[in-house]
Amino acid sequence: MTHQSVDLFKELSINMMKQLICSPDLLVMQVEMDVYTALKKWMFLQLVPSWSGSLIQLLAEADDWSSKRRKELEDTGITFLETDRGCPFVPVFKHLRMQYIISDLASARIIERDALIPAEWLSSMYKQHWFTMLRAEQDNDTGPQEINKYEVENNSMRCGRRLAKDGDYCWRWTGFNFGFDLLVTYTNRYIIFKRNTLNQPCSGSVSLQAQRNIAFRLRLVSFDTNGKVICSRTSGYQILSLEKDQMSSITLQPLHHGQGQRAV
């Protein structure tokens, strides 16, 4: 996802895209909603391979195309992935981590508007998400107590950031919900996590529990000007326990060495 192009989208078969979306090593830029957006553009090019234009124009073209398909299906009560043309793409879209898309209001509205995803997928995910939230709010769920590699690799929130050059960066990955507002700082090649509770304003509610845990794996990858990986580091799988407004620096184990643009 760090080097998208129209030609690349056209070349990726359904089977290859499925392997990419399933891979625990996929570098997701921004959040899971951006994976959905990429798949929407890719599917459009698979179905309309004659289209030629720039990457900047692609999303608008894909949205216009899906809007026409939606109008065609208005009276049928089905979504595009339930049609004969859409069915082959189900194995790919099935691996989207929808729980991290429907937790954001703007993203949930887009998903509903596009009517690509079957309603049954969404209703079951809304139910699961609601019970998860209730456990966090009413059952004193402080987060994971031990590493479950399968859960981390297959069900965790995927998010990333592109750093054009060395310097100081600070951002928040929204959508954690359940009262967890995580601030991330990159400075002097250190990564710092902060559990924001009372110090900074937050668009959603935050948990006032004394302690919250997160299970994570952090990766830092550098590319040369051609997009080739020249440096890769990882924190490995860890559990971080944070008190209110506590900060913690993350150690990255060196795997390879090099310089260049980075993705976190």
Side-chain angles (χ1 to χ4, degrees):
M1 290 185 66
T2 59
H3 297 79
Q4 296 183 30
S5 73
V6 172
D7 290 339
L8 177 61
F9 278 138
K10 288 182 178 181
E11 292 173 7
L12 292 174
S13 67
I14 290 177
N15 185 54
M16 176 59 74
M17 184 58 88
K18 178 185 175 183
Q19 293 181 54
L20 290 171
I21 296 303
C22 291
S23 173
D25 293 321
L26 177 67
L27 283 171
V28 171
M29 290 295 96
Q30 300 304 330
V31 292
E32 193 73 20
M33 182 60 183
D34 296 284
V35 182
Y36 169 80
T37 301
L39 288 184
K40 186 163 58 171
K41 294 185 287 188
W42 164 77
M43 183 173 70
F44 164 71
L45 290 173
Q46 295 294 303
L47 293 168
V48 191
S50 60
W51 185 84
S52 61
S54 69
L55 188 64
I56 296 176
Q57 300 168 315
L58 180 55
L59 180 57
E61 194 72 23
D63 279 337
D64 183 59
W65 182 88
S66 64
S67 176
K68 293 175 182 177
R69 305 292 82 75
R70 183 172 66 252
K71 290 177 181 178
E72 293 172 359
L73 296 169
E74 268 182 344
D75 298 328
T76 66
I78 63 173
T79 61
F80 181 72
L81 290 182
E82 295 171 290
T83 66
D84 290 341
R85 295 188 73 193
C87 187
F89 299 96
V90 165
V92 177
F93 280 83
K94 196 75 173 176
H95 288 282
L96 279 170
R97 301 181 185 183
M98 295 299 302
Q99 63 269 41
Y100 304 112
I101 295 178
I102 63 172
S103 59
D104 175 71
L105 179 59
S107 300
R109 283 173 170 167
I110 291 173
I111 290 289
E112 296 284 350
R113 179 204 69 190
D114 287 350
L116 297 176
I117 307 295
E120 183 182 347
W121 297 10
L122 293 175
S123 60
S124 62
M125 188 55 65
Y126 281 125
K127 180 179 179 180
Q128 175 186 324
H129 215 48
W130 177 248
F131 274 99
T132 304
M133 187 185 75
L134 289 177
R135 284 195 299 271
E137 291 292 328
Q138 300 178 19
D139 200 24
N140 295 319
D141 183 356
T142 60
Q145 306 300 313
E146 58 184 23
I147 293 292
N148 182 323
K149 187 176 179 181
Y150 177 85
E151 285 293 323
V152 174
E153 290 190 344
N154 294 280
N155 295 311
S156 61
M157 182 178 181
R158 304 187 287 190
C159 41
R161 188 68 183 264
R162 195 167 186 166
L163 313 179
K165 58 184 179 179
D166 272 331
D168 293 342
Y169 298 85
C170 186
W171 65 91
R172 65 178 4 127
W173 277 316
T174 59
F176 279 88
N177 281 338
F178 316 130
F180 205 110
D181 183 36
L182 189 68
L183 304 183
V184 187
T185 301
Y186 176 86
T187 180
N188 296 323
R189 302 194 179 183
Y190 280 94
I191 298 286
I192 299 172
F193 283 172
K194 178 182 178 181
R195 175 194 168 191
N196 177 50
T197 307
L198 303 171
N199 285 358
Q200 298 187 37
C202 178
S203 59
S205 61
V206 293
S207 170
L208 297 180
Q209 288 181 349
Q211 180 178 300
R212 293 300 301 271
N213 301 339
I214 56 170
F216 70 95
R217 179 184 60 166
L218 184 69
R219 289 186 296 149
L220 178 66
V221 179
S222 293
F223 305 95
D224 63 16
T225 54
N226 296 317
K228 181 181 178 182
V229 174
I230 55 176
C231 173
S232 179
R233 298 183 181 185
T234 177
S235 66
Y237 296 100
Q238 295 186 31
I239 288 181
L240 190 62
S241 182
L242 295 172
E243 298 177 359
K244 297 177 185 177
D245 294 308
Q246 182 180 354
M247 294 188 296
S248 180
S249 61
I250 310 302
T251 302
L252 296 175
Q253 305 163 6
L255 299 182
H256 305 288
H257 299 282
Q259 301 292 328
Q261 194 175 73
R262 291 174 171 83
V264 178

